[in-house]
């Protein structure tokens, strides 16, 4: 080979090498985490909203939608994954590969109509998970008992799905659980007795718009709940367990059930700002303590069996007639005056 040919050969070789992708040694993203995300994207049908998940870029780059790496501790492992508003090309279950992100602390799956099927067992591999939100999807089946294996869980929100079956009794075994929200599903059965054994951290339970029924366990009186919403179910009997002057309760929403207890005998939290018990069979008088509530801004006791004069004072006369109407013999402003 002549010297001219040799030079030409090396020029061609150099040009061809220059067109090859050069591996980046400056990527912060953990390579295993990155591969999991790329697999997850593929299993979801490569939705257009995840076009930023590009194998040629660093997954710790802010351009990767919904992905957050741990920069504070400089591990650069993925700690937050938010899959929201994805237009999946076909019906798809939650991929089990999502359980292969061992440092994940927050998992949010929201507003994905084509997401179907049960909650996968692989989610129990997320042993550092604190916040689990799966909302506004079409996942179905029951809320699995195995959720209680994730001992780090702080908050669970499975609202606006198609979950059915009974409430898992084992949730009370979660030592750090602060609250659960299972609104707008097809859950049935009763509230487990074990829910009275939630830790002192537990402050919120919202179960509105399901098909839950039966009596509310007396064990729940042990809880110091800030937020309670059991509305639009089929609960019966006594719900006075949620009241108490020693509690920090801010909202009690029990509307549209079949509850029946003497409201006049309950004591009220001084922090109560919302009381909605409409459309039940609740009887007795309105508690005088309502007049002392400084923060009360929502009250509805309509469509019950309440009697007696509405206490005068506080914020009670700021509510209109619709807050008190259709009771057995409730009277006084803003309703017609009581007969003497």
């Amino acid at each position: 080979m002549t010297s001219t040919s040799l030079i030409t050969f090396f020029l061609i070789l150099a040009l061809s090498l220059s067109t090859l992708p050069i591996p980046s040694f400056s990527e912060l993203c953990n390579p295993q985490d990155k591969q999991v995300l790329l697999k997850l994207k593929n299993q979801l049908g490569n939705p257009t909203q995840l076009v930023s998940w590009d194998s040629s870029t660093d997954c710790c780059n802010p351009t990767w939608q919904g992905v957050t790496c741990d920069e504070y501790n400089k591990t650069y492992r993925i700690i937050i994954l938010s899959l929201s508003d994805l237009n999946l090309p076909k019906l798809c279950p939650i991929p089990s590969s999502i359980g292969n992100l061992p440092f994940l602390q927050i998992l949010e799956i929201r507003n994905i109509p084509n997401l179907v099927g049960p909650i996968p067992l692989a989610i129990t591999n997320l042993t550092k998970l604190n916040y689990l939100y799966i909302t506004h999807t079409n996942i179905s089946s029951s809320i699995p008992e195995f959720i209680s294996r994730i001992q780090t869980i702080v908050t669970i929100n499975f609202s606006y799905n198609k979950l059915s079956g009974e409430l898992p009794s084992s949730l009370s075994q979660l030592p750090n659980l602060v609250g659960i929200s299972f609104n707008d599903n097809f859950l049935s059965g009763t509230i487990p007795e074990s829910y009275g054994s939630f830790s002192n951290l537990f402050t919120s339970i919202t179960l509105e718009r399901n098909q839950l029924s039966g009596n509310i366990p007396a064990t729940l009186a042990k809880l110091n709940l800030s937020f309670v919403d059991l509305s639009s179910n089929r609960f019966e009997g006594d719900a006075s367990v949620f009241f108490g002057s020693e509690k920090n309760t801010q909202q009690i929403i029990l509307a549209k059930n079949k509850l029946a207890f003497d409201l006049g005998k309950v004591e009220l939290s001084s922090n109560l700002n919302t009381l909605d018990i409409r459309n039940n069979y609740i009887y007795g008088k309105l508690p005088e303590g309502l007049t002392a509530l400084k923060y009360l801004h929502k009250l509805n006791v309509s469509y019950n069996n309440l009697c007696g004069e509405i206490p005068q004072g506080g914020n009670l006369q700021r509510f209109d007639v619709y807050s008190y109407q259709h009771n057995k013999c409730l009277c006084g402003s803003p309703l017609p005056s009581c007969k003497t």
Side-chain angles (χ1 to χ4, degrees), residues 48-252:
T48 56
Q49 292 80 7
L50 298 183
V51 68
S52 61
W53 292 16
D54 187 337
S55 61
S56 66
T57 60
D58 187 348
C59 71
C60 286
N61 191 306
T63 58
W64 277 58
Q65 180 175 318
V67 177
T68 302
C69 296
D70 186 359
E71 297 181 5
Y72 180 80
N73 294 307
K74 300 189 184 304
T75 66
Y76 300 103
R77 301 303 297 260
I78 294 169
I79 56 173
I80 301 175
L81 179 62
S82 179
L83 301 172
S84 302
D85 303 296
L86 304 184
N87 294 322
L88 305 187
K90 60 181 180 180
L91 297 179
C92 179
I94 299 174
S96 59
S97 58
I98 209 163
N100 295 327
L101 296 170
F103 286 79
L104 205 61
Q105 297 174 22
I106 299 175
L107 174 59
E108 179 187 25
I109 300 174
R110 180 176 58 85
N111 197 25
I112 309 178
N114 272 4
L115 204 63
V116 297
I119 297 169
L121 176 63
I123 211 165
T124 60
N125 294 330
L126 304 176
T127 57
K128 297 182 184 297
L129 196 65
N130 298 141
Y131 303 96
L132 176 57
Y133 306 129
I134 306 176
T135 67
H136 297 86
T137 77
N138 279 303
I139 62 167
S140 56
S141 192
S142 60
I143 300 174
E145 294 281 356
F146 60 64
I147 294 293
S148 62
R149 299 185 198 175
I150 313 174
Q151 292 283 291
T152 52
I153 284 283
V154 172
T155 302
I156 305 171
N157 189 340
F158 291 157
S159 298
Y160 303 96
N161 294 298
K162 291 187 176 178
L163 296 167
S164 58
E166 299 186 351
L167 295 168
S169 60
S170 59
L171 291 183
S172 60
Q173 299 171 14
L174 292 168
N176 302 307
L177 192 63
V178 168
I180 56 175
S181 184
F182 300 151
N183 303 328
D184 287 88
N185 281 285
F186 300 100
L187 301 172
S188 58
T190 61
I191 296 177
E193 292 276 347
S194 62
Y195 282 19
S197 301
F198 281 122
S199 75
N200 293 333
L201 299 174
F202 192 79
T203 60
S204 176
I205 179 168
T206 63
L207 304 171
E208 63 177 310
R209 289 187 292 274
N210 278 285
Q211 299 168 9
L212 296 162
S213 60
N215 293 319
I216 295 168
T219 55
L220 269 60
K222 303 174 187 176
L223 303 178
N224 187 2
L225 298 173
S226 295
F227 305 97
V228 181
D229 190 344
L230 307 185
S231 59
S232 298
N233 280 286
R234 302 168 186 170
F235 291 115
E236 302 176 16
D238 189 2
S240 62
V241 294
F242 298 120
F243 295 84
S245 59
E246 77 288 353
K247 297 186 178 185
N248 297 318
T249 313
Q250 298 175 36
Q251 296 184 9
I252 299 177

